[in-house]
């Protein structure tokens, strides 16, 4: 699977440079709750090293891990989503080094520079499509009944 690092790799050099003007390096120790379920963020991150688990609360059960993100993955998409979209929680499970972006500044950049905006939104949309497919398979495996010896996700 292509990582969401393509958000930077697929941009033209001048667009990438303009986007990186709004980034700063950060780190999260293992066990850090980066954001809660349904929380809108004014920041987003591209993971350089480490691992983050996206989870959701399932009533009567422990949180279900929906996806695991690692190097190159885009973390935190509420900055681009409409307010009614439901967001997952995120926890660092290994020390994370990432580039942190100011979402408001990136939205402003995308508004002011149509070429940068189109490229950023196309890359984020592709990343979200990959994430949804990955999460769908993991949820089916973890939460749905099994058919014989195989998880339901593989019985599609």
């Amino acid at each position: 699977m292509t990582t969401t690092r393509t958000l930077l790799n697929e941009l033209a050099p001048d667009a990438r440079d303009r986007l990186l003007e709004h980034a700063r390096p950060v780190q999260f120790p293992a066990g850090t709750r980066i954001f809660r379920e349904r929380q809108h963020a004014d920041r987003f991150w591209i993971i350089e090293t480490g691992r983050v688990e996206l989870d959701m609360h399932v009533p009567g059960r422990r949180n279900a891990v929906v996806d695991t993100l690692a190097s190159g993955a885009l973390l935190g998409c509420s900055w681009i989503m409409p307010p009614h979209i439901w967001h997952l929680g995120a926890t660092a499970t290994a020390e994370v080094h990432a580039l942190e972006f100011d979402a408001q500044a990136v939205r402003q950049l995308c508004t002011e520079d149509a070429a940068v905006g189109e490229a950023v939104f196309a890359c984020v949309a592709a990343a979200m499509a990959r994430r949804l497919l990955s999460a769908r398979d993991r949820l089916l495996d973890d939460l749905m009944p099994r058919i014989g010896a195989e998880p339901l996700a593989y019985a599609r």
Side-chain angles (χ1 to χ4, degrees), residues 4-127:
T4 54
R5 183 68 176 199
T6 58
L7 180 65
L8 295 178
N9 293 345
E10 290 179 359
L11 290 173
D14 58 330
R16 182 175 45 249
D17 292 344
R18 295 216 44 216
L19 182 63
L20 287 171
E21 290 173 7
H22 303 289
R24 68 181 184 99
V26 295
Q27 68 182 63
F28 300 103
T32 301
R33 186 73 168 162
I34 299 171
F35 53 85
R36 295 180 317 277
E37 186 177 313
R38 300 178 192 236
Q39 177 181 344
H40 285 264
D42 59 354
R43 297 163 288 166
F44 66 95
W45 304 265
I46 294 178
I47 299 170
E48 301 235 310
T49 61
R51 195 173 57 253
V52 174
E53 288 186 343
L54 295 179
D55 61 58
M56 62 181 241
H57 175 72
V58 179
R61 298 182 64 172
R62 63 179 176 80
N63 283 2
V65 175
V66 174
D67 207 357
T68 302
L69 309 180
S71 179
L74 175 68
L75 174 62
C77 295
S78 65
W79 65 280
I80 201 171
M81 299 286 199
H84 60 276
I85 297 291
W86 187 65
H87 305 291
L88 303 172
T91 304
T93 55
E95 184 176 46
V96 171
H97 294 265
L99 288 176
E100 181 178 84
F101 292 83
D102 177 332
Q104 184 175 355
V106 171
R107 276 194 303 270
Q108 183 66 32
L109 169 65
C110 291
T111 300
E112 292 170 358
D113 188 327
V116 172
E118 287 176 22
V120 168
F121 287 109
C123 291
V124 170

Side-chain angles (χ1 to χ4, degrees), residues 119-139:
V120 168
F121 287 109
C123 291
V124 170
M128 292 308 299
R130 289 189 298 270
R131 177 91 35 80
L132 288 170
L133 289 175
S134 176
R136 177 200 64 188
D137 289 350
R138 188 152 185 175
L139 277 173

